[in-house]
Amino acid sequence: MKSRRSITLVTLLGMILIGMLVVRTRAAKTPQSAPAAQKNQQTPTIEEYQPKSTLVTKEHKIERAKFPFIDIHSHHWNPTAEEVDRLVKEMDTINLRVMVNLSGGTGEQLKNTVAVMKGRYPDRFVVFSNMSYDDLNTPGFGKRVAARLEQDVKNGAQGLKIFKDFGMELKYANGQRVHVDDPEFDAVFEKCAELKIPVLIHVAEPSAFFDPWDYHNERWLELKQFPGRARPPEKYPPFETLMTERNHLFAKHPKTNFIAAHLGFHGNDLERLGRLFDSLPNVYVDIAAVLAELGRQPYSAHDFLVKYQDRVLMGKDIYDVNEYKWYFRALETRDEYFEYYRSRHAFWRIYGFQVPDEVLKKVYYKNALKLVPGIDAKAFPE
């Protein structure tokens, strides 16, 4: 009897010990398995992380602009006849009536570009002239540029485009930076007023390019992909210095119409851009390559475009016929939270800020017709 009790007791104790060992084994494994699982699941980089939205809302994907439009900001260096033929076919698909080629060059290059584009399609293209700096360090440079510009206009140019090196990288032989409001160029801008042609000018870059390139910079991704776009203070003037010089240039030449490219790089501060408009009636802007700035503030963008409807022009910059539809969708609809076509410009989604038809017409073509001579207004609605 005692032996049976002893066996039962031993068996019971053994089962308890085995149970305790199982529990301890499971407990010991649990904290080790979590880090192992986390280790197997790698953390994506900023470029790899592309979350898909679960938002369900109405979408209006517009492939063709509601009205014919003028693209005031495009670049086509030395185009061939075949390229121009292809452009016109693509333009027709999206209702792009007139394209402004800002990269016409000067002299013989300008004549060749005009011949290839306007010679083949006189009503579909506009070509702007550019300055040559080859003789920058020879006395009388500004007057010579003005004379070359006058000849370019006789040869078919309908405006002057000034590229981003002006004010940032262009220097005299002695190393001194050419300031945006350098008096040497006064003759050029006065000639533009005399010829009644606009100046589309690119001054500076997005202000974030001048800020420290760290993880607080909202353009970090673009700077990673294109490090040369950073504007560190040891190599470039501050953003505000360039803005001051630019605004002084605008004020010095009140009879010259200036189109500040890319919303004047004030797309992130529309109130500031509004103050610029209020103080300088000869200043306009295009929306080329800055749609993402407007699209992240749809209420402010709508109100701004309504208030300053006479001062904003449609533009795209980098030509891709398939990318215009984002502009149409933003300008013409109230769609919500949709992806922008170039993530490096906008590490965020954008919204439509639908403007009234009369405002849309001004942005699409009326303001350009007012500023650029020689475009046939009959090709556009009243």
Side-chain angles (χ1 to χ4, degrees), residues 72-75 77 100-105 127-133 149 158-166 189 192 197-203 259 261-262 286 317:
I72 197 69
H73 194 138
S74 197
H75 296 284
W77 290 267
V100 178
N101 180 9
L102 299 178
S103 302
V127 179
F128 276 29
S129 173
N130 311 127
M131 289 191 288
S132 169
Y133 304 119
L149 176 61
Q158 291 162 264
L160 174 67
K161 167 64 165 75
I162 298 179
F163 295 103
K164 67 175 72 176
D165 55 345
F166 188 72
F189 298 117
C192 290
I197 60 171
V199 179
L200 199 150
I201 183 168
H202 180 144
V203 178
I259 305 169
H262 314 298
D286 70 37
D317 198 0

Side-chain angles (χ1 to χ4, degrees), residues 131-133 136 141-143 145-146 148-149 160 162 166-167 170-172 177-192 199 249 252-253 256 258:
M131 289 191 288
S132 169
Y133 304 119
L136 174 64
F141 167 76
K143 292 181 179 179
V145 173
R148 291 196 291 258
L149 176 61
L160 174 67
I162 298 179
F166 188 72
L170 184 64
K171 295 180 180 179
Y172 289 105
R177 177 178 67 88
V178 173
H179 293 196
V180 180
D181 55 352
D182 190 322
E184 181 64 37
F185 293 81
D186 285 347
V188 179
F189 298 117
E190 290 304 309
K191 179 60 69 174
C192 290
V199 179
L249 168 68
K252 274 204 303 180
H253 302 284
T256 304
F258 292 93

